[in-house]
């Protein structure tokens, strides 16, 4: 009878270790997925900021040569 109890205890330990390994694997996979998503978000933010800066520069550009000269003389260029 004690052999069955010992066998049951060993089986429980093996199952518990298997579940622990499975849980750790899933947690690591989720962490990698989150890290990848955050990197993608940061990259997209950089691209968006550059596009916004380019659009603003296009909007703010002087329309004529006289405007360019006025901005240069005024120290705003």
């Amino acid at each position: 009878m004690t052999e069955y109890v010992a066998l049951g205890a060993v089986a429980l330990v093996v199952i518990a270790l298997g579940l622990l390994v499975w849980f750790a694997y899933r947690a690591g996979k989720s962490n990698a997925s989150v890290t990848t998503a955050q990197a993608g978000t940061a990259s997209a933010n950089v691209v968006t900021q550059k596009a916004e800066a380019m659009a603003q520069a296009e909007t703010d550009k002087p329309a004529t040569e006289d405007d360019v000269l006025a901005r240069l003389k005024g120290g705003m260029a």
Side-chain angles (χ1 to χ4, degrees):
M1 186 66 153
T2 58
E3 294 89 15
Y4 292 121
V5 173
L7 187 59
V10 169
L12 284 176
V13 168
V14 168
I15 290 171
L17 287 175
L19 287 173
L20 181 64
V21 168
W22 175 79
F23 179 76
Y25 172 75
R26 296 285 303 201
K29 189 174 178 182
S30 294
N31 184 31
S33 195
V34 168
T35 302
T36 303
Q38 288 173 341
T41 302
S43 176
N45 286 338
V46 168
V47 170
T48 302
Q49 289 172 350
K50 286 182 181 179
E52 287 174 351
M54 290 171 59
Q56 188 64 44
E58 183 70 25
T59 302
D60 293 344
K61 75 177 182 181
T64 64
E65 186 178 335
D66 292 335
D67 291 338
V68 172
L69 294 174
R71 285 181 69 181
L72 288 172
K73 287 180 185 175
M76 296 184 305

Coordinates of all heavy atoms in Angstrom, one line a residue:
M1 N 0.8 -1.2 0.0 CA 0.0 0.0 0.0 C 0.9 1.3 0.0 O 0.5 2.2 -0.6 CB -0.9 0.0 1.2 CG -1.9 1.1 1.3 SD -3.0 0.9 -0.1 CE -4.5 1.7 0.5
T2 N 2.0 1.2 0.7 CA 2.8 2.4 0.8 C 3.5 2.7 -0.6 O 3.8 3.8 -0.9 CB 3.9 2.3 1.9 OG1 4.7 1.1 1.6 CG2 3.3 2.2 3.2
E3 N 3.6 1.6 -1.4 CA 4.2 1.8 -2.7 C 3.3 2.6 -3.6 O 3.7 3.5 -4.3 CB 4.4 0.4 -3.4 CG 5.5 -0.5 -2.8 CD 4.8 -1.4 -1.7 OE1 3.6 -1.5 -1.7 OE2 5.6 -1.9 -0.9
Y4 N 2.0 2.4 -3.4 CA 1.0 3.2 -4.2 C 1.0 4.7 -3.7 O 0.9 5.6 -4.6 CB -0.4 2.6 -4.0 CG -0.6 1.3 -4.7 CD1 -0.9 0.2 -4.0 CD2 -0.3 1.1 -6.1 CE1 -1.1 -1.1 -4.6 CE2 -0.4 -0.1 -6.7 CZ -0.8 -1.2 -5.9 OH -1.0 -2.4 -6.5
V5 N 1.2 4.9 -2.5 CA 1.2 6.3 -2.0 C 2.5 7.0 -2.5 O 2.4 8.1 -2.9 CB 1.2 6.3 -0.4 CG1 1.4 7.7 0.1 CG2 -0.1 5.7 0.1
A6 N 3.6 6.3 -2.4 CA 4.8 6.8 -3.0 C 4.7 7.1 -4.4 O 5.2 8.1 -5.0 CB 6.0 5.9 -2.6
L7 N 4.2 6.2 -5.2 CA 4.0 6.3 -6.6 C 3.1 7.5 -6.9 O 3.3 8.3 -7.8 CB 3.4 5.0 -7.2 CG 3.3 5.0 -8.8 CD1 4.7 5.2 -9.4 CD2 2.7 3.7 -9.2
G8 N 2.0 7.7 -6.1 CA 1.1 8.8 -6.3 C 1.8 10.1 -6.0 O 1.6 11.1 -6.7
A9 N 2.6 10.1 -5.0 CA 3.4 11.4 -4.6 C 4.4 11.7 -5.8 O 4.5 12.9 -6.1 CB 4.1 11.2 -3.3
V10 N 5.0 10.7 -6.3 CA 6.0 11.0 -7.4 C 5.2 11.5 -8.6 O 5.6 12.4 -9.3 CB 6.8 9.7 -7.8 CG1 7.5 9.9 -9.1 CG2 7.7 9.4 -6.6
A11 N 4.0 10.9 -8.9 CA 3.2 11.3 -10.0 C 2.8 12.8 -9.8 O 2.8 13.6 -10.8 CB 2.0 10.4 -10.2
L12 N 2.4 13.2 -8.6 CA 2.0 14.5 -8.4 C 3.1 15.5 -8.5 O 3.0 16.6 -9.1 CB 1.4 14.7 -6.9 CG 0.0 14.1 -6.7 CD1 -0.4 14.2 -5.3 CD2 -1.0 14.9 -7.6
V13 N 4.3 15.1 -8.1 CA 5.5 16.0 -8.3 C 5.8 16.2 -9.7 O 6.1 17.3 -10.2 CB 6.7 15.4 -7.5 CG1 8.0 16.1 -7.9 CG2 6.5 15.5 -6.0
V14 N 5.7 15.1 -10.5 CA 6.0 15.2 -11.9 C 5.0 16.1 -12.6 O 5.3 16.9 -13.5 CB 6.1 13.8 -12.6 CG1 6.1 13.8 -14.1 CG2 7.3 13.0 -12.1
I15 N 3.7 15.9 -12.3 CA 2.7 16.7 -12.9 C 2.9 18.2 -12.5 O 2.8 19.1 -13.3 CB 1.3 16.2 -12.4 CG1 1.0 14.9 -13.1 CG2 0.2 17.2 -12.8 CD1 -0.2 14.2 -12.6
A16 N 3.2 18.5 -11.2 CA 3.4 19.8 -10.8 C 4.6 20.5 -11.5 O 4.5 21.6 -11.9 CB 3.7 19.8 -9.3
L17 N 5.7 19.7 -11.7 CA 6.8 20.3 -12.4 C 6.5 20.5 -13.9 O 6.9 21.5 -14.5 CB 8.0 19.3 -12.3 CG 8.7 19.3 -11.0 CD1 9.8 18.2 -11.0 CD2 9.3 20.6 -10.7
G18 N 5.7 19.6 -14.5 CA 5.3 19.8 -15.9 C 4.4 21.1 -16.0 O 4.6 21.9 -16.9
L19 N 3.5 21.3 -15.1 CA 2.7 22.5 -15.1 C 3.5 23.8 -14.9 O 3.2 24.8 -15.5 CB 1.6 22.4 -14.0 CG 0.4 21.4 -14.3 CD1 -0.5 21.3 -13.1 CD2 -0.3 21.9 -15.6
L20 N 4.5 23.7 -14.0 CA 5.4 24.8 -13.8 C 6.1 25.2 -15.1 O 6.2 26.4 -15.4 CB 6.3 24.5 -12.6 CG 7.3 25.6 -12.3 CD1 6.5 26.8 -11.7 CD2 8.3 25.2 -11.2
V21 N 6.7 24.2 -15.7 CA 7.4 24.4 -17.0 C 6.5 25.0 -18.0 O 6.8 26.0 -18.7 CB 8.1 23.1 -17.5 CG1 8.6 23.3 -18.9 CG2 9.2 22.7 -16.5
W22 N 5.3 24.5 -18.1 CA 4.3 25.0 -19.1 C 3.9 26.4 -18.8 O 3.9 27.3 -19.7 CB 3.0 24.1 -19.1 CG 1.9 24.6 -19.9 CD1 1.8 24.5 -21.3 CD2 0.8 25.3 -19.5 NE1 0.7 25.1 -21.7 CE2 0.0 25.6 -20.7 CE3 0.3 25.8 -18.3 CZ2 -1.2 26.3 -20.6 CZ3 -0.9 26.5 -18.2 CH2 -1.6 26.7 -19.4
F23 N 3.7 26.7 -17.6 CA 3.3 28.1 -17.2 C 4.5 29.1 -17.4 O 4.3 30.2 -18.0 CB 3.0 28.1 -15.7 CG 2.6 29.5 -15.2 CD1 1.4 30.1 -15.5 CD2 3.5 30.3 -14.5 CE1 1.1 31.3 -15.1 CE2 3.2 31.5 -14.0 CZ 2.0 32.1 -14.3
A24 N 5.7 28.7 -17.1 CA 6.9 29.5 -17.4 C 7.0 29.8 -18.9 O 7.4 30.9 -19.3 CB 8.1 28.9 -16.8
Y25 N 6.8 28.7 -19.7 CA 6.9 28.9 -21.1 C 5.9 29.9 -21.7 O 6.2 30.7 -22.5 CB 6.7 27.5 -21.8 CG 6.6 27.6 -23.3 CD1 7.7 27.8 -24.1 CD2 5.4 27.5 -23.9 CE1 7.6 27.9 -25.5 CE2 5.3 27.5 -25.3 CZ 6.4 27.8 -26.1 OH 6.3 27.9 -27.4
R26 N 4.7 29.7 -21.2 CA 3.6 30.6 -21.6 C 3.9 32.1 -21.2 O 3.6 33.0 -21.9 CB 2.2 30.2 -21.1 CG 1.8 28.9 -21.6 CD 1.3 28.9 -23.0 NE 0.2 29.9 -23.0 CZ -0.7 30.0 -24.0 NH1 -0.7 29.2 -24.9 NH2 -1.6 31.0 -23.9
A27 N 4.4 32.3 -20.0 CA 4.7 33.6 -19.5 C 5.8 34.2 -20.3 O 5.8 35.4 -20.6 CB 5.1 33.5 -18.0
G28 N 6.8 33.4 -20.6 CA 7.9 34.0 -21.4 C 7.5 34.3 -22.8 O 7.9 35.3 -23.4
K29 N 6.6 33.5 -23.4 CA 6.0 33.8 -24.7 C 5.2 35.1 -24.7 O 5.3 35.9 -25.7 CB 5.2 32.6 -25.2 CG 4.8 32.6 -26.6 CD 4.0 31.3 -27.0 CE 3.6 31.4 -28.4 NZ 2.8 30.2 -28.8
S30 N 4.4 35.3 -23.7 CA 3.6 36.5 -23.6 C 4.5 37.7 -23.4 O 4.3 38.7 -24.0 CB 2.6 36.4 -22.4 OG 1.7 35.4 -22.7
N31 N 5.6 37.6 -22.6 CA 6.5 38.7 -22.4 C 7.2 39.1 -23.7 O 7.3 40.2 -24.0 CB 7.5 38.3 -21.3 CG 8.4 39.5 -21.0 OD1 8.0 40.6 -21.1 ND2 9.6 39.2 -20.6
A32 N 7.6 38.1 -24.5 CA 8.2 38.4 -25.8 C 7.2 39.1 -26.7 O 7.6 40.0 -27.4 CB 8.7 37.1 -26.4
S33 N 6.0 38.7 -26.7 CA 5.0 39.3 -27.5 C 4.8 40.7 -27.1 O 4.7 41.6 -28.0 CB 3.7 38.5 -27.4 OG 2.8 38.8 -28.4
V34 N 4.7 41.0 -25.9 CA 4.5 42.4 -25.4 C 5.7 43.2 -25.7 O 5.6 44.4 -26.2 CB 4.3 42.4 -23.8 CG1 4.3 43.8 -23.3 CG2 2.9 41.8 -23.5
T35 N 6.9 42.7 -25.5 CA 8.1 43.4 -25.9 C 8.2 43.8 -27.4 O 8.5 44.9 -27.7 CB 9.4 42.6 -25.5 OG1 9.3 42.3 -24.1 CG2 10.7 43.3 -25.8
T36 N 7.8 42.9 -28.2 CA 7.8 43.1 -29.6 C 6.8 44.2 -30.0 O 7.0 45.1 -30.8 CB 7.5 41.8 -30.4 OG1 8.4 40.8 -30.1 CG2 7.5 42.0 -31.9
A37 N 5.6 44.1 -29.4 CA 4.6 45.1 -29.6 C 5.0 46.5 -29.2 O 4.8 47.5 -29.9 CB 3.3 44.7 -28.9
Q38 N 5.7 46.6 -28.0 CA 6.2 47.9 -27.5 C 7.2 48.4 -28.5 O 7.3 49.7 -28.7 CB 6.7 47.7 -26.1 CG 5.7 47.5 -25.1 CD 6.2 47.2 -23.7 OE1 7.4 46.8 -23.6 NE2 5.4 47.4 -22.7
A39 N 8.1 47.6 -29.0 CA 9.1 48.1 -29.9 C 8.5 48.6 -31.2 O 8.9 49.6 -31.8 CB 10.1 46.9 -30.3
G40 N 7.5 47.9 -31.7 CA 6.7 48.3 -32.9 C 6.0 49.7 -32.7 O 6.0 50.5 -33.6
T41 N 5.5 49.8 -31.5 CA 4.8 51.1 -31.2 C 5.8 52.2 -31.1 O 5.5 53.3 -31.6 CB 4.1 51.0 -29.8 OG1 3.1 49.9 -29.9 CG2 3.4 52.2 -29.4
A42 N 6.9 52.0 -30.5 CA 8.0 53.1 -30.4 C 8.4 53.4 -31.8 O 8.6 54.6 -32.1 CB 9.1 52.6 -29.6
S43 N 8.7 52.5 -32.7 CA 9.1 52.7 -34.0 C 8.0 53.5 -34.8 O 8.3 54.5 -35.5 CB 9.4 51.4 -34.8 OG 9.7 51.6 -36.1
A44 N 6.8 53.1 -34.7 CA 5.7 53.9 -35.3 C 5.6 55.3 -34.8 O 5.3 56.2 -35.6 CB 4.4 53.1 -35.1
N45 N 5.8 55.5 -33.5 CA 5.8 56.9 -33.0 C 6.9 57.7 -33.6 O 6.7 58.9 -33.9 CB 5.9 56.8 -31.5 CG 4.6 56.4 -30.8 OD1 3.5 56.4 -31.4 ND2 4.7 55.9 -29.6
V46 N 8.1 57.2 -33.8 CA 9.2 57.9 -34.3 C 8.8 58.3 -35.8 O 9.0 59.5 -36.2 CB 10.5 57.1 -34.3 CG1 11.6 57.7 -35.1 CG2 10.9 57.0 -32.8
V47 N 8.3 57.4 -36.5 CA 8.0 57.7 -37.9 C 6.9 58.7 -38.0 O 6.9 59.7 -38.8 CB 7.5 56.4 -38.6 CG1 6.9 56.7 -40.0 CG2 8.7 55.4 -38.8
T48 N 5.9 58.6 -37.1 CA 4.8 59.6 -37.1 C 5.3 61.0 -36.7 O 4.9 62.0 -37.3 CB 3.7 59.2 -36.1 OG1 3.2 57.9 -36.4 CG2 2.6 60.2 -36.0
Q49 N 6.2 61.1 -35.8 CA 6.8 62.4 -35.4 C 7.6 63.0 -36.5 O 7.5 64.2 -36.8 CB 7.7 62.3 -34.1 CG 6.9 62.0 -32.9 CD 7.8 61.7 -31.7 OE1 9.0 61.4 -31.8 NE2 7.2 61.6 -30.5
K50 N 8.3 62.2 -37.3 CA 9.1 62.7 -38.4 C 8.1 63.2 -39.5 O 8.3 64.3 -40.1 CB 10.0 61.6 -39.0 CG 11.2 61.4 -38.1 CD 12.1 60.3 -38.8 CE 13.3 60.1 -37.9 NZ 14.2 59.0 -38.5
A51 N 7.1 62.5 -39.7 CA 6.1 62.9 -40.7 C 5.4 64.2 -40.3 O 5.2 65.1 -41.2 CB 5.1 61.8 -41.0
E52 N 5.1 64.3 -39.0 CA 4.5 65.5 -38.5 C 5.4 66.7 -38.7 O 5.0 67.8 -39.1 CB 4.0 65.4 -37.1 CG 2.8 64.5 -36.9 CD 2.5 64.2 -35.4 OE1 3.3 64.6 -34.6 OE2 1.4 63.7 -35.2
A53 N 6.7 66.5 -38.4 CA 7.7 67.6 -38.5 C 7.8 68.0 -39.9 O 7.9 69.2 -40.2 CB 9.0 67.1 -37.9
M54 N 7.8 67.0 -40.8 CA 8.0 67.4 -42.2 C 6.7 68.2 -42.7 O 6.9 69.1 -43.5 CB 8.2 66.1 -43.1 CG 9.5 65.4 -42.9 SD 9.6 63.8 -43.6 CE 9.3 64.1 -45.3
A55 N 5.6 67.8 -42.3 CA 4.3 68.5 -42.7 C 4.3 69.9 -42.1 O 4.0 70.8 -42.8 CB 3.1 67.7 -42.2
Q56 N 4.8 70.0 -40.9 CA 4.8 71.4 -40.3 C 5.9 72.3 -41.0 O 5.6 73.4 -41.2 CB 5.2 71.3 -38.8 CG 5.0 72.6 -38.0 CD 3.6 73.1 -38.0 OE1 2.7 72.3 -37.8 NE2 3.4 74.4 -38.3
A57 N 7.0 71.7 -41.4 CA 8.0 72.5 -42.1 C 7.5 72.9 -43.4 O 7.7 74.0 -43.9 CB 9.3 71.6 -42.2
E58 N 6.7 72.0 -44.1 CA 6.1 72.4 -45.4 C 5.1 73.5 -45.2 O 5.0 74.4 -46.0 CB 5.5 71.2 -46.0 CG 4.9 71.4 -47.4 CD 5.9 71.6 -48.4 OE1 7.0 71.1 -48.3 OE2 5.5 72.2 -49.4
T59 N 4.4 73.5 -44.1 CA 3.4 74.5 -43.8 C 4.0 75.8 -43.5 O 3.6 76.9 -43.9 CB 2.5 74.1 -42.7 OG1 1.9 72.8 -43.0 CG2 1.4 75.1 -42.4
D60 N 5.1 75.8 -42.8 CA 5.8 77.0 -42.3 C 6.8 77.6 -43.3 O 7.3 78.7 -43.0 CB 6.5 76.7 -41.0 CG 5.6 76.4 -39.9 OD1 4.4 76.7 -40.0 OD2 6.0 75.9 -38.8
K61 N 7.0 77.0 -44.4 CA 8.0 77.5 -45.3 C 7.6 78.9 -45.9 O 6.4 79.1 -46.1 CB 8.3 76.5 -46.4 CG 7.2 76.4 -47.5 CD 7.6 75.5 -48.6 CE 6.5 75.5 -49.7 NZ 6.9 74.6 -50.7
P62 N 8.5 79.7 -46.2 CA 8.2 81.0 -46.8 C 7.6 80.8 -48.2 O 8.1 80.0 -49.0 CB 9.5 81.8 -46.8 CG 10.5 81.0 -46.1 CD 9.9 79.6 -45.9
A63 N 6.7 81.7 -48.6 CA 6.1 81.5 -49.9 C 6.9 82.2 -51.0 O 6.9 81.7 -52.1 CB 4.7 82.1 -49.9
T64 N 7.5 83.3 -50.7 CA 8.3 84.0 -51.7 C 9.7 84.3 -51.3 O 10.1 84.1 -50.1 CB 7.6 85.3 -52.0 OG1 7.6 86.2 -50.9 CG2 6.1 85.1 -52.4
E65 N 10.5 84.8 -52.2 CA 11.9 85.1 -51.9 C 11.9 86.3 -50.9 O 12.8 86.3 -50.1 CB 12.6 85.5 -53.2 CG 14.1 85.8 -53.1 CD 14.7 86.1 -54.4 OE1 14.2 85.7 -55.4 OE2 15.8 86.8 -54.3
D66 N 11.0 87.2 -51.0 CA 11.0 88.3 -50.1 C 10.7 87.8 -48.7 O 11.3 88.3 -47.7 CB 9.9 89.3 -50.5 CG 10.2 90.1 -51.8 OD1 11.5 90.2 -52.1 OD2 9.3 90.5 -52.5
D67 N 9.8 86.8 -48.6 CA 9.5 86.2 -47.2 C 10.8 85.6 -46.7 O 11.1 85.7 -45.5 CB 8.4 85.2 -47.3 CG 7.1 85.8 -47.6 OD1 6.9 87.0 -47.3 OD2 6.2 85.1 -48.1
V68 N 11.6 84.9 -47.5 CA 12.8 84.2 -47.1 C 13.8 85.3 -46.6 O 14.4 85.2 -45.5 CB 13.4 83.4 -48.2 CG1 14.8 82.9 -47.8 CG2 12.5 82.3 -48.6
L69 N 13.9 86.4 -47.3 CA 14.9 87.4 -46.9 C 14.4 88.1 -45.6 O 15.2 88.4 -44.8 CB 15.0 88.4 -48.1 CG 15.7 87.9 -49.3 CD1 15.7 89.0 -50.4 CD2 17.1 87.5 -49.0
A70 N 13.1 88.3 -45.5 CA 12.6 88.9 -44.3 C 12.9 88.0 -43.1 O 13.2 88.5 -42.0 CB 11.1 89.2 -44.4
R71 N 12.7 86.7 -43.2 CA 12.9 85.8 -42.1 C 14.4 85.8 -41.8 O 14.8 85.7 -40.6 CB 12.5 84.4 -42.4 CG 10.9 84.3 -42.4 CD 10.5 82.9 -42.7 NE 10.8 81.9 -41.6 CZ 10.6 80.7 -41.7 NH1 9.9 80.1 -42.7 NH2 10.9 79.9 -40.7
L72 N 15.3 85.8 -42.8 CA 16.7 85.8 -42.5 C 17.1 87.1 -41.8 O 17.9 87.0 -40.9 CB 17.5 85.6 -43.8 CG 17.4 84.2 -44.5 CD1 18.1 84.3 -45.9 CD2 18.1 83.2 -43.6
K73 N 16.6 88.2 -42.2 CA 17.0 89.5 -41.6 C 16.4 89.5 -40.2 O 17.0 90.1 -39.3 CB 16.4 90.6 -42.4 CG 17.2 90.9 -43.7 CD 16.6 92.0 -44.5 CE 17.4 92.1 -45.8 NZ 16.7 93.2 -46.7
G74 N 15.3 88.9 -40.0 CA 14.6 89.0 -38.6 C 15.2 87.9 -37.7 O 14.9 87.9 -36.5
G75 N 16.1 87.0 -38.2 CA 16.7 86.0 -37.3 C 15.8 84.9 -37.0 O 16.0 84.2 -36.0
M76 N 14.7 84.6 -37.8 CA 13.8 83.6 -37.5 C 14.0 82.3 -38.4 O 13.3 81.4 -38.4 CB 12.3 84.1 -37.8 CG 11.9 85.2 -36.9 SD 10.2 85.7 -37.2 CE 10.2 86.1 -38.9
A77 N 15.1 82.3 -39.2 CA 15.4 81.2 -40.0 C 16.6 80.4 -39.5 O 17.4 80.8 -38.8 CB 15.7 81.7 -41.4

